[in-house]
Amino acid sequence: MSLAPVLARIDADLDNAIERLCNFLRIPSISTDPIFAEDCQKAADWLVADLTTLGAEASKRQTPGHPMVVGHITPLYSDQKPHLLFYGHYDVQPVDPLDLWNRDPFDPAVEETDNGKVIRARGACDDKGQLMTFIEACRSWIAEHGELPCKITFFFEGEEESGSPSLIPFMKENKDEITADIALICDTGLFDSRVPAITTMLRGLLGDEITITGPNKDLHSGLYGGVSMNPIRVLSRILASLHDENGRVTIPSFYDGVPELSDTLKEQWAALEFDHDAFLGGVGLSALAGERGYSALEMLWSQPTCEINGIKGGYAGDGFKTVLPSQASAKISFRLVGHQDPEAIRKNLRRMIEGMLPVDCSVSYNAHGSSGGIVMSTEAPAFEAARIALSDEWPDEAAFIGSGGSIPIAGFFQEITGVDPILIGFGKDDDQLHSPNEKYDLESFHKGTRSWARVLDALSRLEV
Ligand code: BES
Ligand code: MN
Ligand code: MN
């Protein structure tokens, strides 16, 4: 089965593909907010229907949370070929603050910008646009050749943006169905607009919410101020002590399990000539804020972080209120690398906080999910085959890169099915994932689809 006519068909069908993506983007499948639970069902139904038009045997699988979608396409005579599994997520992040959007986040449109055409909507990149690049490649392949070049299993999740609570049980219960020779994930980015990438290192994620309680009710800050401990004061002191003056995290034993970066990797990353001035400049910044002594890529890809994601307490509305609050809280998250142990870090953080609590103050916690950092072994021939296929589509050669973000399923594939997934994605740094005005470049969508056709071609030729 030849590749060239498949690529031509992808080009010819682009407008229809955009329309299909826009239909998918109109469904507000926000997984974190229970109000949108029905919409998550609808997005799953939409995928089942779309996979069915490809001839897949596809179904929606209920879980205690939002449903999974699993589909299989098994061409005749495919048992001599590798079996591929593709993962993506149909859920999206909440849209707030809504007033910062230049359009309704669920009314997608192609917009003309200074940097070319973009598809604007929540989920345009993360991850509806990205997962559709794979489906569209399959669609053109089938339309051209009547069947796929190998067996493909589709596996879509609707809880990725809310910590994937149902994923591990589902994967364990359906292990045979989701085990394949090669697993593919489309939920990451390009290195830059010329250099495509396979992401082989991802950071893990740990979250904890801490609430400090002082007085048993909000107080008048004049009548009680000076004699009563203010929990915001306590919280600020704790938060300020989480980093030292060099940007290093101060939690005891935090760096246990952080690997020393090899010279080879350091050189490879330096050779990518990452423009950190442009990267920071794009968001109005100029200076690196991580631990001194590391390059920007080292900070992003190989160093752990501790970030405060939100603070609550007292009166923050319009005007002024002289209140001495009863409670103050903060959401803290950590990006983890190497063999850092998430639960050990949670314990040490809590112990450190408890050591800083003055008399009369107490602390309570709300634990959020945890996953460790992951490194994919790139030894399997599929990695090199995919890298060459990507290089054929883009101006410059594809790179193996790290990423600062987290995709917990990548580690679960390793643990549960024993397969190191190949992470290929076409997002750009300015796609505004999780932010207002999320977009996906039309070029990402189009060349992304073409890239998958090439990767399918290359992988289906591998021996099993
Ligand atoms: N697709 C992103 C992660 C990502 C984006 C990785 C770009 C590499 C490049 C994913 O949907 C995501 O947002 N992950 C969350 C974790 C999740 C548990 C909420 C993250 O990284 O914060
Ligand atoms: Mn994603
Ligand atoms: Mn995301």
Side-chain angles (χ1 to χ4, degrees):
M1 288 188 235
S2 63
L3 173 65
V6 178
L7 296 176
R9 201 175 264 271
I10 289 171
D11 298 348
D13 195 41
L14 181 61
D15 287 343
N16 296 322
I18 294 169
E19 203 175 305
R20 284 185 287 268
L21 171 58
C22 287
N23 289 334
F24 190 25
L25 289 170
R26 277 187 200 102
I27 308 169
S29 46
I30 301 171
S31 60
T32 50
D33 185 342
I35 290 177
F36 298 95
E38 262 316 300
D39 294 296
C40 290
Q41 296 285 337
K42 271 188 209 153
D45 290 333
W46 190 93
L47 281 169
V48 171
D50 197 48
L51 290 178
T52 307
T53 66
L54 296 188
E57 215 178 282
S59 58
K60 179 168 83 170
R61 310 287 186 84
Q62 296 300 346
T63 73
H66 304 303
M68 310 281 171
V69 171
V70 183
H72 305 283
I73 299 181
T74 314
L76 283 175
Y77 314 113
S78 59
D79 45 337
Q80 306 302 318
K81 304 271 184 185
H83 171 193
L84 311 187
L85 177 129
F86 177 83
Y87 164 91
H89 63 92
Y90 66 76
D91 63 321
V92 300
Q93 282 276 326
V95 296
D96 58 287
L98 193 56
D99 52 316
L100 294 185
W101 283 79
N102 65 4
R103 62 180 307 110
D104 175 347
F106 297 109
D107 176 24
V110 176
E111 289 178 6
E112 194 79 59
T113 74
D114 293 346
N115 297 316
K117 290 186 176 169
V118 306
I119 304 163
R120 176 106 49 208
R122 170 58 86 228
C125 173
D126 190 9
D127 183 38
K128 287 174 172 168
Q130 298 244 64
L131 79 79
M132 286 308 288
T133 58
F134 187 84
I135 291 185
E136 291 302 341
C138 293
R139 193 185 323 276
S140 285
W141 201 288
I142 293 166
E144 188 58 36
H145 293 299
E147 61 183 12
L148 289 171
C150 58
K151 174 172 177 177
I152 295 185
T153 295
F154 301 84
F155 178 27
F156 299 120
E157 185 195 359
E159 299 184 317
E160 197 274 347
E161 300 292 10
S162 42
S164 302
S166 312
L167 189 59
I168 294 185
F170 185 87
M171 289 178 76
K172 286 192 170 153
E173 272 160 39
N174 299 277
K175 183 178 158 189
D176 289 344
E177 219 186 329
I178 55 139
T179 301
D181 300 309
I182 300 168
L184 304 167
I185 300 179
C186 189
D187 197 21
T188 49
L190 300 164
F191 179 70
D192 63 33
S193 39
R194 299 182 59 86
V195 183
I198 298 180
T199 298
T200 63
M201 294 174 76
L202 288 161
R203 294 194 287 192
L205 187 60
L206 164 70
D208 218 5
E209 209 171 323
I210 64 173
T211 301
I212 310 282
T213 305
N216 61 13
K217 54 174 78 69
D218 282 6
L219 303 173
H220 188 296
S221 70
L223 301 183
Y224 284 89
V227 295
S228 319
M229 182 47 80
N230 182 334
I232 297 184
R233 214 171 109 189
V234 178
L235 180 69
S236 322
R237 202 159 63 86
I238 292 171
L239 298 181
S241 71
L242 290 171
H243 298 85
D244 70 13
E245 59 285 358
N246 291 320
R248 197 171 165 85
V249 178
T250 56
I251 298 166
S253 309
F254 181 72
Y255 289 90
D256 287 5
V258 176
E260 191 72 47
L261 199 60
S262 72
D263 287 340
T264 332
L265 219 46
K266 261 190 198 168
E267 282 159 25
Q268 274 179 24
W269 292 358
L272 290 170
E273 295 180 2
F274 180 64
D275 184 350
H276 73 249
D277 287 326
F279 182 73
L280 287 175
V283 294
L285 298 174
S286 62
L288 297 176
E291 186 178 353
R292 248 173 248 169
Y294 292 95
S295 75
L297 286 188
E298 288 165 12
M299 284 176 187
L300 277 171
W301 295 351
S302 69
Q303 285 297 113
T305 67
C306 164
E307 294 294 349
I308 299 144
N309 302 117
I311 300 184
K312 205 163 77 182
Y315 182 74
D318 289 340
F320 217 88
K321 182 179 179 189
T322 50
V323 64
L324 194 162
S326 163
Q327 290 195 317
S329 63
K331 294 180 198 281
I332 306 176
S333 70
F334 301 86
R335 296 287 167 172
L336 306 177
V337 301
H339 295 107
Q340 278 182 299
D341 174 354
E343 291 310 320
I345 290 172
R346 195 195 299 283
K347 207 175 82 204
N348 292 332
L349 166 74
R350 292 180 175 190
R351 192 176 291 156
M352 176 170 159
I353 293 172
E354 284 152 29
M356 295 180 73
L357 279 185
V359 211
D360 289 341
C361 282
S362 61
V363 59
S364 61
Y365 307 102
N366 187 4
H368 289 262
S370 69
S371 62
I374 27 184
V375 177
M376 258 60 76
S377 154
T378 54
E379 297 226 316
F383 278 82
E384 190 54 20
R387 203 185 66 79
I388 293 169
L390 281 176
S391 306
D392 288 342
E393 174 63 24
W394 295 82
D396 293 348
E397 201 171 319
F400 287 137
I401 66 169
S403 170
S406 306
I407 302 179
I409 194 174
F412 305 156
F413 270 129
Q414 290 179 321
E415 279 164 40
I416 298 169
T417 71
V419 178
D420 275 2
I422 305 180
L423 279 73
I424 296 173
F426 311 100
K428 293 191 178 166
D429 288 338
D430 65 353
D431 282 346
Q432 306 185 129
L433 306 190
H434 298 197
S435 292
N437 297 323
E438 179 177 350
K439 58 92 175 160
Y440 198 39
D441 285 9
L442 206 57
E443 183 184 54
S444 293
F445 185 59
H446 184 198
K447 287 177 85 63
T449 303
R450 290 173 52 97
S451 299
W452 281 122
R454 293 181 188 274
V455 171
L456 284 184
D457 180 52
L459 297 183
S460 66
R461 291 172 196 281
L462 293 176
E463 307 241 331
V464 273

